[in-house]
Each structure stands twice: as structure tokens, then as C-alpha cells.
Amino acid sequence: MQPNLKWNSHVSSVANKIYKTVGILFKVKNILSSAHLTILYHSLIEPYLHYCCIVWATHSESTLLETLLKLQKRCVRIINYSPPKAHSRPLFTKLRIFTIYDLCLIHILVFVYRSVNLLFPHHFPKYFTRTRDIHPHGTRGNKYNLYQINSQISCRFKSVVCSGPKHWNELPDSIRSAPTLMTFKNHVKQHILSQYNNWCKITNYFVYTFT
């Protein structure tokens, strides 16, 4: 973390590590199948994107995250043996690979699910409040909705405490009421993939483009 509470240096470091690994995929693409290349991607590249992205990805400049997305696009093109300028959206869908933005979204939603279902250790604070606990009168969707906190401070506005309830409230009740964490994860991932298939965005919190 930098003194200004940004993670630009960390994102640049992640990008450099991924860039080197992309070269490995490129060198072996002619001797491995697409399935094996996908395994290499999930093993060698995706862990860099998963690790604590709920912290650094939400507080990084969009231009830096776009660098990571471009590297992901290059990966899916290599895995699918596609031309360098092939449209990437169908490739993400076909390979069931999530962009850095959606990986972060999944982690945020899992964090919220674990918090509201008391799956964290007892010493963890209560991060979220249900809307019904603040406004007891019945409203549509009041059963699962969380109270959204507003903040004028950019750093806090992008934090999981503020962004989490927004993304959570956008999910269908059938997903939010999942009985287990594993079921919830599977439903969230399938929900995002369905948005890929419909050529839609699941959220307007992150802004990105496919080319």
C-alpha cells in the first residue's frame, strides 16, 4: 500500500508477474491442448488476481486494472488459438474465465454472504446491517436487502463496506438465499456467466470494455 492508500505499485507488480507467465502460455500453445492451457492459466496466472483483490482492485486506478484485463484478453486468445485481435468476450464465455473485475465482484459478494450468515470468526465486527433492521416497515426485497452506506470519501466509497451492499442488493433473492457458501459461489458464477452470454454487464460499479 502506498501513503495515499492506493495500490498502484502492487497492481504494477502483479501485471509484471502475469506478463512473464503469458510468455509461457505462448511458448507451449503449439504442444498443449486448449484444456491444458486453461489449467495452466488457472494455476499460474489467476492466483495473482485472486489474492486479496477485494482490497487492492477496488482502490486501484482503472487504467492499471485495464492493463490486467488486456493481459487476460491475451491469455484467452492464446488458449483458444485465436488471432491477436479476435473479439475477447465470446472467448471469456467459452472458457468460463472471469475478468479481473468480475473476480473482484465474486470475492466481494462471498465476503458479504459470509458476513450476513455469520460464517466469520466471532471476533470479526458486524460489517453490514439489514434494511429491515433500520426500516421495519415492509418494502419489496426488504427481506434480504442490506442498508447502503453513502460516503463522500472515494477510498471509503470503494471499500467493501460501501460497495458490498450495493452489489448484494442487485442479486436475485434465489441467489442470496442459498443455503451454503458453496451453493452461493456456484450460483453467483453462473449468474455472471449468464450475463456474459446475454452480452450484458452484471454491474455498473466497474466500467470496462471488451474489444
Side-chain angles (χ1 to χ4, degrees):
M1 180 187 291
Q2 298 166 235
N4 59 359
L5 301 181
K6 293 185 180 296
W7 295 82
N8 297 349
S9 298
H10 175 76
V11 178
S12 297
S13 175
V14 170
N16 288 334
K17 293 176 181 177
I18 292 177
Y19 181 80
K20 295 176 183 178
T21 311
V22 171
I24 297 176
L25 285 181
F26 183 78
K27 289 179 180 179
V28 301
K29 71 173 184 177
N30 293 324
I31 58 177
L32 294 180
S33 67
S34 179
H36 289 115
L37 291 173
T38 302
I39 293 175
L40 281 181
Y41 172 85
H42 288 305
S43 302
L44 301 179
I45 294 178
E46 207 165 69
Y48 290 122
L49 302 176
H50 275 292
Y51 184 70
C52 291
C53 68
I54 193 174
V55 177
W56 56 263
T58 56
H59 292 86
S60 301
E61 296 179 3
S62 59
T63 52
L64 289 174
L65 293 184
E66 280 297 309
T67 300
L68 297 179
L69 179 60
K70 288 179 181 178
L71 289 172
Q72 284 188 286
K73 290 178 180 180
R74 187 175 178 185
C75 287
V76 296
R77 287 169 182 143
I78 291 173
I79 294 172
N80 202 62
Y81 310 106
S82 299
K85 294 186 179 181
H87 195 49
S88 62
R89 185 191 292 266
L91 304 182
F92 277 101
T93 305
K94 177 182 177 181
L95 300 171
R96 299 178 67 86
I97 289 177
F98 297 98
T99 69
I100 176 59
Y101 301 100
D102 286 326
L103 285 176
C104 184
L105 176 59
I106 291 170
H107 279 279
I108 290 174
L109 292 172
V110 168
F111 183 94
V112 176
Y113 181 90
R114 295 183 66 183
S115 180
V116 298
N117 288 281
L118 305 178
L119 299 180
F120 282 131
H122 295 301
H123 61 271
F124 270 58
K126 185 177 181 181
Y127 290 100
F128 309 104
T129 303
R130 294 189 183 276
T131 304
R132 66 187 182 190
D133 295 334
I134 298 178
H135 305 291
H137 54 278
T139 58
R140 180 177 296 180
N142 201 26
K143 181 177 181 181
Y144 298 107
N145 280 4
L146 298 177
Y147 180 73
Q148 294 184 223
I149 302 174
N150 295 319
S151 176
Q152 301 299 321
I153 303 175
S154 176
C155 183
R156 178 171 174 77
F157 177 75
K158 294 180 180 180
S159 69
V160 66
V161 175
C162 290
S163 64
K166 176 183 180 298
H167 298 310
W168 175 265
N169 293 344
E170 292 174 348
L171 288 177
D173 288 352
S174 58
I175 296 179
R176 293 186 290 180
S177 61
T180 66
L181 179 60
M182 185 60 67
T183 301
F184 177 77
K185 288 181 180 179
N186 291 336
H187 287 177
V188 166
K189 290 178 180 179
Q190 189 58 45
H191 183 64
I192 294 177
L193 286 173
S194 70
Q195 302 301 312
Y196 283 7
N197 292 331
N198 294 331
W199 290 70
C200 297
K201 297 176 183 176
I202 189 174
T203 173
N204 57 10
Y205 180 74
F206 295 118
V207 179
Y208 60 98
T209 56
F210 284 83
T211 58

